[in-house]
Structures are given as C-alpha cells and as structure tokens.
Amino acid sequence: IHIIQLDNGAFHFSQHLQIPENIILLFQPPHTPQVNPIERLWEEIKRHLAWESFGTLDELRQFIWRRLEKLNTSIVASITGWDFILDALFESNFS
C-alpha cells in the first residue's frame, strides 16, 4: 500500500486517471501547506542552510544532496510522520 498525499491543486485531478488498488490518494484540506509532509522535510533541509553561502547553484545542489543522503527511513518518518494519515485511513474503513 502506498499513500500519496496531495494538495487540492487542480492539476491533481483528472477524469481519466486510473489509480492502482495499492495506491491511496489522500487530499489535504485546502490552504494548509503546514500539513504537507514534504514541507516539514524541506524545513529540516533548510535549517542547515541558514548560515551557508554558495558561490554557484551547483554548490547549493551538492550541499542539499549531501543533506538528503544523510536521511534514512526512520529519520524521514520522524520528520514527516503524521497521526492524521492513519486516522484518515481508519475513518475511511480502509483495510
């Protein structure tokens, strides 16, 4: 099972999209980027950028890549984990 959280952008909707049975699309409430797990992950990455200065865009990319490489599954889960995702699944009677 894979849960993909989406905002309510019009580009996330399609009348022709066929979603496999092992994929659950979980739409977050409108205008609530604070509940988007990727925003929390970027906060963690940006926290390490606060006092850095880069001469080129490639230096910035390399720095971000090194930060991302330090993340493992448990770290990402601790940063992006939200109880409301499981709550939503239980409420939807998903099994």
Side-chain angles (χ1 to χ4, degrees):
I1 299 296
H2 299 279
I3 302 169
I4 301 173
Q5 183 174 341
L6 307 163
D7 61 23
N8 279 294
F11 43 84
H12 288 140
F13 294 92
S14 171
Q15 295 176 355
H16 306 290
L17 183 63
Q18 294 181 0
I19 301 166
E21 289 185 22
N22 67 329
I23 302 289
I24 298 170
L25 299 182
L26 180 63
F27 288 91
Q28 69 190 40
H31 311 293
T32 56
Q34 66 274 15
V35 299
N36 189 337
I38 193 64
E39 298 295 338
R40 290 185 65 180
L41 185 61
W42 280 118
E43 274 182 38
E44 174 65 18
I45 299 299
K46 290 190 289 186
R47 184 170 66 88
H48 298 280
L49 290 171
W51 297 103
E52 297 291 334
S53 178
F54 304 97
T56 67
L57 186 55
D58 280 336
E59 289 176 10
L60 171 61
R61 285 184 183 125
Q62 290 171 6
F63 179 87
I64 291 173
W65 188 251
R66 284 192 303 274
R67 293 301 315 165
L68 289 171
E69 286 178 328
K70 291 181 179 183
L71 301 176
N72 60 37
T73 303
S74 62
I75 293 171
V76 172
S78 72
I79 295 169
T80 62
W82 291 91
D83 290 337
F84 82 89
I85 292 174
L86 290 176
D87 292 344
L89 290 174
F90 290 129
E91 289 297 321
S92 71
N93 293 320
F94 177 78
S95 57

